[in-house]
Amino acid sequence: MGPSRTGAVLAALGVLSVCAVSGSGPEAERETGGDAGWAEPWDGAVFRPPSALGAVGVARKPGTPRLGREEAVDLPVLLWWSPGLFPHFPGDSERIDCARGACLASRDRGMWGDPRTRALLFYGTDFRASEAPLPRMGHQSWALLHEESPLNNFLLSHGPGIRLFNLTATFSRHSDYPLPLQWLPGTVYLRSAAPPLQERAEWRRRGYAPLLYLQSHCDVPADRDRYVRELMRYIRVDSYGKCLQNRELPTPRLQDTATATTEDPELLAFLSRYKFHLALENAICNDYMTEKLWRPMHLGAVPVYRGSPSVRDWMPNNHSIILIDDFESPQKLAEFIDFLDKNDEEYMKYLAYKEPGGITNQFLLDSLKHREWGVNDPLLPNYLNGFECFVCDHELARLEAEKAHAASPGDIPLPEPHIAQLSHLDCPMPTPGFGSVEEIPENDRGDLYHGDVGNDGLLEAE
């Protein structure tokens, strides 16, 4: 998500809904992953990509009236500092009810110096140190929401950058409010039926390759295009989008970025013809997994994946994706894909997770069951509202600890400040997608170091 897109995040989320963020309810009795009633969040008439944030609404219990200023005097304030990102409408401030109590969420920067303002909330893609509110108030926590790739803000991938913050919500399981499964609605999404092999064989006879590449954001730190270019020497790859393009999508409507998205049902049906999808993230970070990984699995294709080094921890079983880094060369990888392509029995082992009982990874099942937010789930808060309540609860606990210290300073110490750590993003230094740094020609454009954070529009812009 590029800097210019944050103002459009909320507008893209669809119809607003009111979300309760605490307490028990129907979700406690639902299937693991909170998806018993999950359905495709789009229809055939309106091409509306499912948002990782789900349906944004005011995070207050149903029936709770809006507060006037005089009623909110004693509530701690959470101030959204990032322009355009405030998950409440229509006013500048809203009461939120959370597990420990209530807070007031606001986007009114006039509240910055108010002693009631206990936390400033920043969206990572928008954060610029030069624009941070200074002097920093000693009683305020800084909270970071940065579920996107480190490509969007390299500052946060360095220790001094991430340690500016007290609380974090990132893709890393080690962050304070972890979001590693932000693109996975639930187990039903994974178990969606795959097209019959006979149907895919018929498409192959019509000239389609076994392997798909769909990418329009080129020259990223993961240097994925360099690897795919080498792989193309050993196996046929149908490449759509702007990067290494060698084929056009089948209809003018799908080719037009104004009329199609990556979740367009016609496009998804087309993509499902391929048995293998190249799924390469734009950055290599532990737990950073996007729709590039989950969508092929939803469609019943086998992801040929490079991205999160910890990806095995999250897979439905131990035999569901092909990891590029398991092969000593693109040629060896191509030989293995060709072997699976010609052996249906071996290929179908990679889709066993779609069968009853096929999802055997208890860590994945537990993570889906116990996460406090949902993806396109009307019965759960989205992670934006959930993060707000996490910060609210933290500040209420901190206030209680400060009051306890004030009442008995000799016996109860002040609470120590919580500081974010580098593991909250956990991204190693980039390396070439293929070969070594020494082998890269001097006139190379520099995929390894150039990363245009702009959004290319339609196809796989991340």
Side-chain angles (χ1 to χ4, degrees), residues 103-115:
C103 292
L104 190 71
S106 179
R107 59 181 169 189
D108 179 5
R109 288 192 174 187
M111 298 287 293
W112 169 45
D114 193 304

Side-chain angles (χ1 to χ4, degrees), residues 213 215 218-219 223-229 243-244 447:
Y213 188 50
Q215 199 60 62
C218 316
D219 307 328
D223 202 21
R224 55 195 171 200
D225 295 339
R226 192 187 309 277
Y227 188 93
V228 176
R229 188 181 298 113
C243 308
L244 308 179
D447 308 74

Side-chain angles (χ1 to χ4, degrees), residues 434-456:
F434 174 72
S436 65
V437 172
E438 292 75 20
E439 295 170 335
I440 298 176
E442 289 186 7
N443 63 349
D444 188 273
R445 180 177 172 183
D447 308 74
L448 190 57
Y449 301 106
H450 289 76
D452 176 12
V453 298
N455 184 346
D456 292 299

Side-chain angles (χ1 to χ4, degrees), residues 1-11 82-86 123-127:
M1 185 179 298
S4 63
R5 294 175 63 193
T6 55
V9 170
L10 301 178
S82 297
L85 190 62
F86 178 66
Y123 184 55
T125 299
D126 281 347
F127 180 77

